[in-house]
Amino acid sequence: MDIFSIPFSQTGTLLAAVMAVLAINVMLLVLFAFAIVSFLKKIAWSQQESEKTKQRAMQEAASVREQARREAEEIVSEAHGKATEAIKKIDLLGSGMQQDLEKALEAVYKREVERVARTADQLVTEYRSLLDEVRKKHVEASEAAMRQMMEGSGLAVHSFQTFLEEQMGGYRQEMQQRMEDSQRAAQKEIEAYKSQAFKKVEDSIYRIIQFVSQRVLGEAISIEQHRKLVITALEEAKREGLFET
Amino acid sequence: MSEENVAAVLETVHTREEAEVLEEALAEMENRLFKKTHDAARLLEDIRLSAKTVDILKQFVATEAASANPVDAHETLATLRKKISELKMVRVELAVEPDPRLIEEISRWVRTNVAGQALVDVGVDRRMLGGARIIFNGRYRQMTLAELVEKILEAEKRTILKELGFQP
């Protein structure tokens, strides 16, 4: 129904009704606004409380973590210190021993090279005795080094000792192998040298005999013997078919 | 010069040296045939050839001079030279300087044992010690004392060294 079609006599009543409705709506809006404000206040308080709780929890967690970190650091630091100390001792002794080994082997090689250059049989004898001596000394030195390492390190743990003994055994075997190889190589070199020297002497003697034979024959053969030899050579050439065309 | 005389001249030449002297003499004779003096006969007086060779050549010169036909004589000498240059050569190398007797013996052996006529070219190689090295038609054989000594020493090397007190 269109509002402009209502008769004028009824307009006052209608206006009053509209006003009443509007007033009720305003009241309802005010109440609603209060409720919303109250709700928002509660939410804000709740958020603050939550933040505070969270902060506390984080602080507590950080505190625990820091404590745990400190404790872990202390443990690790202590362990690291001990391990470093132990490793340092082991490394120092180990590298020293290896250097000793290498020096001993190097010395043996140098001595061998010099001696090989001098002479043959004498060298073999001296070389063998030298090797035995060096081998004994080296074994003694290695054992002494191991004892010193064990005493010095203070790590008298059975497993560690076993480990070291295995390592030492390995070194000994390697050294033994190297010395045997060296001995074999030197022996081979000596044999080659002897063979070469023998060949030189043999060739020299051979040349001397050849020279003497030639001189003697050159002086000793008469012209008659030369004649016979020439005719014999011609006969031989004929027999071999040289003059056949 | 008859065919027989040509063959006779060739038979008198035994060594390379003799052949060279004869070739030189024949060449000179060829030149003198056309000269007025025609003194080829005088040339033969000083030549270093065997008496037999010289006699045959003198006879040839006398005949040709009588016939007065230098063209024929020239042709004959050229033929002789060609035949000499075509002779086979046996080179025999010796360890000593050979005396004429040894050269003659070698030549005789070659004439007897090598088919056809062959000249002997004698050389010396003292390193051979004795024996001979013979070269013919691009092939060679040798039987020398040096070779023999070498073989004996090689075969007896160990024994000799042992005898000398040098034990391997």
Side-chain angles (χ1 to χ4, degrees):
Chain A
M1 185 174 78
D2 189 355
I3 193 170
F4 296 104
S5 62
I6 298 170
F8 183 75
S9 59
Q10 293 177 359
T11 54
T13 309
L14 183 63
L15 188 62
V18 170
M19 290 296 287
V21 169
L22 283 172
I24 290 166
N25 284 338
V26 169
M27 281 178 68
L28 285 172
L29 277 171
V30 170
L31 286 172
F32 186 68
F34 273 115
I36 285 172
V37 169
S38 173
F39 179 71
L40 287 173
K41 278 183 179 176
K42 281 184 180 176
I43 285 174
W45 181 82
S46 174
Q47 277 182 339
Q48 284 176 354
E49 282 299 309
S50 173
E51 192 63 32
K52 283 178 184 171
T53 307
K54 192 178 171 183
Q55 288 286 341
R56 277 200 303 275
M58 282 175 72
Q59 282 173 357
E60 284 175 11
S63 173
V64 169
R65 197 165 57 239
E66 181 61 24
Q67 191 177 354
R69 190 183 63 78
R70 278 199 301 273
E71 286 175 4
E73 272 183 359
E74 282 173 13
I75 292 164
V76 169
S77 175
E78 190 179 356
H80 184 260
K82 286 178 181 176
T84 304
E85 193 179 355
I87 288 166
K88 273 181 183 174
K89 286 178 180 176
I90 291 164
D91 278 353
L92 283 170
L93 289 168
S95 63
M97 187 171 63
Q98 197 168 348
Q99 280 173 359
D100 288 342
L101 274 169
E102 285 171 0
K103 279 179 185 173
L105 288 170
E106 201 177 354
V108 170
Y109 292 151
K110 280 183 181 174
R111 259 182 262 180
E112 287 319 302
V113 168
E114 287 168 3
R115 284 181 185 277
V116 162
R118 285 179 202 151
T119 186
D121 291 334
Q122 189 187 351
L123 179 63
V124 176
T125 314
E126 286 181 6
Y127 176 77
R128 282 178 179 159
S129 63
L130 175 70
L131 276 185
D132 287 340
E133 189 186 342
V134 169
R135 191 185 291 122
K136 281 176 191 170
K137 280 185 179 175
H138 185 72
V139 170
E140 287 170 11
S142 302
E143 286 173 355
M146 192 179 78
R147 279 198 300 276
Q148 188 187 353
M149 183 172 64
M150 289 302 296
E151 287 165 5
S153 66
L155 299 172
V157 184
H158 181 68
S159 59
F160 183 61
Q161 187 176 359
T162 308
F163 168 74
L164 282 179
E165 281 172 356
E166 283 173 0
Q167 290 294 310
M168 290 300 294
Y171 281 133
R172 278 200 202 103
Q173 276 186 349
E174 190 183 346
M175 186 193 70
Q176 182 76 18
Q177 186 62 43
R178 280 192 192 182
M179 285 187 171
E180 283 172 5
D181 290 347
S182 169
Q183 193 173 4
R184 271 195 295 273
Q187 188 68 37
K188 199 176 171 183
E189 200 174 338
I190 288 162
E191 288 303 321
Y193 172 79
K194 280 172 73 178
S195 176
Q196 196 180 0
F198 177 75
K199 181 79 172 57
K200 276 185 183 173
V201 175
E202 196 180 75
D203 288 346
S204 299
I205 290 172
Y206 183 71
R207 279 198 297 275
I208 290 165
I209 292 168
Q210 202 172 19
F211 176 74
V212 171
S213 304
Q214 288 176 352
R215 286 294 298 271
V216 170
L217 281 171
E219 297 291 331
I221 295 178
S222 67
I223 192 74
E224 181 59 23
Q225 285 168 321
H226 273 298
R227 190 191 66 77
K228 284 181 182 172
L229 284 170
V230 171
I231 299 301
T232 308
L234 285 165
E235 294 287 352
E236 189 65 21
K238 184 187 174 188
R239 196 179 60 77
E240 290 179 1
L242 180 68
F243 300 113
E244 289 169 9
T245 51
Chain B
M1 191 186 289
S2 64
E3 286 292 319
E4 292 80 22
N5 279 341
V6 169
V9 170
L10 290 176
E11 280 177 16
T12 61
V13 184
H14 302 143
T15 65
R16 182 179 61 83
E17 192 182 11
E18 286 173 351
E20 283 174 357
V21 172
L22 180 59
E23 274 190 295
E24 198 178 327
L26 293 173
E28 188 59 30
M29 283 169 71
E30 280 179 54
N31 288 334
R32 295 187 185 194
L33 281 173
F34 297 100
K35 289 179 180 172
K36 285 181 180 175
T37 51
H38 202 309
D39 57 352
R42 207 168 68 188
L43 170 74
L44 296 168
E45 297 297 326
D46 302 324
I47 203 162
R48 289 178 295 120
L49 286 169
S50 68
K52 192 177 178 182
T53 312
V54 173
D55 284 346
I56 296 168
L57 289 176
K58 276 182 176 175
Q59 191 185 347
F60 165 74
V61 169
T63 311
E64 295 303 324
S67 68
N69 188 353
V71 176
D72 288 346
H74 185 273
E75 195 175 324
T76 304
L77 292 174
T79 304
L80 187 56
R81 283 177 62 197
K82 187 170 181 292
K83 282 182 181 294
I84 291 168
S85 67
E86 287 172 353
L87 289 174
K88 289 181 281 187
M89 190 83 74
V90 177
R91 178 165 174 85
V92 182
E93 292 179 355
L94 315 171
V96 290
E97 198 69 46
D99 59 7
R101 192 169 148 247
L102 182 54
I103 293 174
E104 175 53 31
E105 188 160 5
I106 294 168
S107 299
R108 197 164 50 244
W109 190 94
V110 169
R111 285 200 299 277
T112 311
N113 294 279
V114 179
Q117 190 179 355
L119 297 172
V120 175
D121 176 21
V122 178
V124 177
D125 180 359
R126 298 188 190 282
R127 292 171 301 175
M128 295 193 303
L129 299 180
R133 181 182 298 122
I134 302 141
I135 303 155
F136 183 69
N137 266 351
R139 296 182 298 162
Y140 87 99
R141 294 284 185 279
Q142 66 176 4
M143 202 186 86
T144 67
L145 269 184
E147 201 178 43
L148 193 64
V149 169
E150 187 87 16
K151 279 181 186 171
I152 292 168
L153 285 180
E154 196 59 43
E156 301 296 329
K157 201 172 184 178
R158 294 283 156 198
T159 313
I160 293 166
L161 291 172
K162 196 175 173 184
E163 284 296 318
L164 289 170
F166 189 75
Q167 291 284 356

